[in-house]
Amino acid sequence: MSDGFAPGNRIRDINPDGSSAEDAWAAEHGGPAESARGDAQSGSPARLTAGRGRRFVSSTTGAPTLDAATAAQTAPPAPIPFDWDSAEARAEQYDAKKAPRKGKRAERAYRQLLEERRRAEAERSAVEANREAKGVAGFRDASRHGSHVAMSNPEYTPSKMYEASDPTPPERGKRWYTRLVIIIPVVVVLVAGLVAGIGLPALAQARATAEANEAARQFTTELAAFEAAWTSENLQALLGPLPHAGIEESADALQQPPEAQEAFGTECGAVLADATRAATAMTDNPPPTLAVLPSASFSAAYRDAQQRDGEFAALRQTAQTLLGALSNTIAPIAAFCTNFQAGVTIENHASARDLAELEPLRTVAPGGVITIDNVQATCDDPLGCVDYANEEQRRKYAATWRSIQEERMESLIAHYRDACWLDVLKPYCTLMSDAWNEAKSGVTAAANAMEQLQVSDEPGQPPFPRLAEATAEMNHVFQEVADKAKLEAGSVDPESLLDVEPGWETRMLIRLVTQYETHLATAVTDYAASASA
């Protein structure tokens, strides 16, 4: 049975909605659909119909081709908008899904909805690709929400309406509580920047101004205290003590006469105490200096203090010079007064004992004649001599003299070792301590020679040769070390090396102490001149 298909016949337009060719022909020619089927008896061919398809014409090669009338119908039909795929529809579906939920639950539900839409779209795309690859024709693509026919056409390209629609819901503004997570840190950063840009410089300026005000206040306070201490009365007090005026030249520097000791005590007593008080007050209130602050220009008090500090600069320099002179003179002068007076006291004590204990035993006046064993001896001691012919008095005198000399020499050894008159004379004092230690070793020998007196009447010999020998040996060992001490003193006072006369030691002391007094007086005078300028 023939299917009635003839290549030369035209195929009527196919209704995409699925109506038959007869109905289309009837609508075009105004006749019933049955007349289009043909008359089998008259031999006219029947019009073939197809549920879906395109109209073809026969070519010279026998291959079906599209005629011009139907060429316009080969293009895909116009896209039909999908309500579910529009922005409004997606938003409504999104709100419908999300409405019952809040917060993180809404976000999870929204992500789940997106995932379901993506899976459904992927499945639809896979089915469509499979159909087009196999060339299935005549079937309505029910997986799409449009009306079109898929044909076996290798050059067919689906239009955009066939592509997978984007299931992403429309962008919506974030909820207020999610924006706070970003807004709050931003506000904090902005406020911190505002504080750093405005508050910190203002705070730094306020702090610098406070520091400058404090520096100015401190300078003003110290300047007032300085002016109260550095008065003309205190300056005059510094010029008071003159210890050298209380030293008198003597063969033994520590054996000062009473009037010299009185003058020395005055200079080193109340006068020195007043000078020490003034020096302490001035030292405790030195000339102030304004602290240098780089960021102090905002303080009016600091600027005023700067001006006064500049005016005070010259006076500050002379004041610092005077402070140096005070530290280099007042303390040495005070130490000299104390130590020298201690040495004088040792000699005074020995002299007092001598006067009280030995003077009554000196019954022979200076230049008197002592006769013992028919030998006559002349007393050459300016203080007088004991009557050596009286053995009892002689032995008593020898024992008392030894006691006094040993006590004196032990005291002088400690004095020169521990209480040197001036620090610059310490090497000299150390050797003098050794000299008195050597002399002490000969005291016993001299005392024994006095007790066991040896008498000689030989011409050119002393009347008491062993006593004279012991005394000479004691003086020799002392002088030998004392000469070395003088060399050390010459390194401080060169003039003493040229001084070979008795009393050189006291003259050396007068020169050294005068140097300290002159140095202090010069500094005081310079400061007074600067202060009055």
Side-chain angles (χ1 to χ4, degrees):
M1 179 176 175
S2 174
D3 59 2
F5 175 75
N9 293 340
R10 294 179 60 188
I11 300 177
R12 297 292 183 183
D13 292 338
I14 300 175
N15 187 351
D17 295 330
S19 59
S20 64
E22 289 84 354
D23 296 335
W25 187 90
E28 181 180 356
H29 296 281
E34 289 79 4
S35 62
R37 294 186 179 93
D39 188 2
Q41 295 178 358
S42 63
S44 61
R47 293 179 179 86
L48 297 180
T49 63
R52 298 181 187 274
R54 295 191 178 95
R55 188 169 56 183
F56 288 85
V57 294
S58 189
S59 65
T60 56
T61 59
T65 61
L66 292 173
D67 59 6
T70 61
Q73 301 180 6
T74 60
I80 300 174
F82 302 144
D83 292 338
W84 69 273
D85 208 19
S86 65
E88 292 79 7
R90 290 197 302 270
E92 292 176 359
Q93 293 179 10
Y94 168 75
D95 290 339
K97 290 287 185 179
K98 189 176 178 182
R101 300 174 177 86
K102 300 294 183 181
K104 294 184 178 180
R105 295 182 59 190
E107 293 178 2
R108 286 196 298 269
Y110 173 61
R111 286 194 295 269
Q112 184 177 0
L113 176 62
L114 292 181
E115 187 61 26
E116 292 176 356
R117 289 184 178 181
R118 289 190 185 96
R119 284 199 299 268
E121 186 64 26
E123 291 176 359
R124 287 194 296 269
S125 298
V127 171
E128 180 180 335
N130 186 41
R131 288 178 176 177
E132 292 183 358
K134 292 181 178 181
V136 178
F139 295 94
R140 180 184 297 273
D141 190 356
S143 65
R144 308 295 291 183
H145 297 274
S147 299
H148 64 276
V149 177
M151 300 296 294
S152 298
N153 184 5
E155 296 181 357
Y156 171 70
T157 301
S159 63
K160 290 185 178 180
M161 67 175 292
Y162 303 112
E163 296 177 359
S165 62
D166 185 9
T168 304
E171 290 292 335
R172 295 177 60 86
K174 294 184 178 181
R175 300 291 182 181
W176 65 270
Y177 52 80
T178 60
R179 292 180 179 178
L180 287 179
V181 179
I182 300 176
I183 294 174
I184 292 176
V186 171
V187 171
V188 171
V189 171
L190 291 177
V191 172
L194 185 63
V195 172
I198 299 177
L200 291 182
L203 179 61
Q205 177 180 338
R207 182 177 300 174
T209 302
E211 292 178 357
N213 291 338
E214 176 61 22
R217 185 200 63 78
Q218 183 176 359
F219 173 78
T220 303
T221 302
E222 293 178 354
L223 183 59
F226 168 82
E227 293 173 348
W230 291 61
T231 61
S232 58
E233 291 78 7
N234 285 341
L235 294 176
Q236 191 64 32
L238 296 177
L239 300 175
L242 300 173
H244 83 277
I247 302 175
E248 187 173 319
E249 293 185 11
S250 172
D252 190 336
L254 295 178
Q255 293 179 359
Q256 293 290 310
E259 60 275 8
Q261 293 186 35
E262 183 179 358
F264 188 84
T266 301
E267 296 294 335
C268 292
V271 177
L272 179 61
D274 192 25
T276 303
R277 177 200 55 76
T280 301
M282 297 168 68
T283 304
D284 292 341
N285 297 279
T289 300
L290 180 63
V292 178
L293 300 177
S295 301
S297 59
F298 299 101
S299 172
Y302 186 85
R303 292 194 299 270
D304 181 64
Q306 277 183 320
Q307 182 178 357
R308 287 183 293 166
D309 183 66
E311 297 171 353
F312 184 68
L315 188 61
R316 181 191 298 114
Q317 184 175 358
T318 56
Q320 290 174 346
T321 302
L322 178 53
L323 282 179
L326 290 176
S327 63
N328 293 328
T329 57
I330 291 295
I333 289 176
F336 172 76
C337 287
T338 301
N339 296 340
F340 188 78
Q341 185 62 50
V344 171
T345 301
I346 293 173
E347 292 291 0
N348 288 343
H349 177 69
S351 298
R353 285 194 63 185
D354 184 272
L355 182 63
E357 301 178 31
L358 293 180
E359 182 65 21
L361 300 176
R362 298 188 184 104
T363 57
V364 180
V369 177
I370 302 173
T371 302
I372 181 174
D373 296 339
N374 298 323
V375 175
Q376 292 183 346
T378 303
C379 178
D380 56 358
D381 192 334
L383 298 178
C385 299
V386 66
D387 186 4
Y388 289 103
N390 188 333
E391 183 177 356
E392 181 181 356
Q393 287 187 353
R394 187 180 71 238
R395 288 182 180 274
K396 183 179 180 180
Y397 185 90
T400 304
W401 177 84
R402 178 171 59 187
S403 173
I404 293 173
Q405 291 301 319
E406 285 181 349
E407 181 186 24
R408 169 179 175 254
M409 292 181 184
E410 287 177 357
S411 298
L412 289 175
I413 290 170
H415 170 70
Y416 280 101
R417 183 188 66 234
D418 303 329
C420 186
W421 305 327
L422 295 170
D423 286 344
V424 294
L425 291 177
K426 281 187 176 180
Y428 165 80
C429 292
T430 300
L431 289 175
M432 286 302 298
S433 177
D434 296 340
W436 284 111
N437 188 50
E438 293 292 334
K440 179 177 174 291
S441 63
V443 170
T444 301
N448 291 337
M450 190 182 302
E451 290 178 356
Q452 302 173 0
L453 190 63
Q454 181 185 10
V455 181
S456 174
D457 57 355
E458 296 180 6
Q461 290 289 333
F464 313 121
R466 193 164 66 177
L467 176 60
E469 182 181 356
T471 305
E473 179 63 22
M474 182 178 64
N475 293 332
H476 172 72
V477 295
F478 171 81
Q479 194 61 44
E480 186 177 16
V481 182
D483 290 342
K484 295 179 181 178
K486 186 178 181 179
L487 294 176
E488 291 294 340
S491 64
V492 179
D493 179 48
E495 293 185 30
S496 62
L497 296 176
L498 304 177
D499 193 349
V500 295
E501 298 296 329
W504 69 269
E505 193 175 31
T506 55
R507 289 188 291 272
M508 176 191 70
L509 286 177
I510 291 173
R511 285 191 296 269
L512 292 178
V513 174
T514 301
Q515 291 178 7
Y516 287 100
E517 297 168 354
T518 302
H519 181 60
L520 177 59
T522 302
V524 171
T525 303
D526 291 344
Y527 173 79
S530 178
S532 60

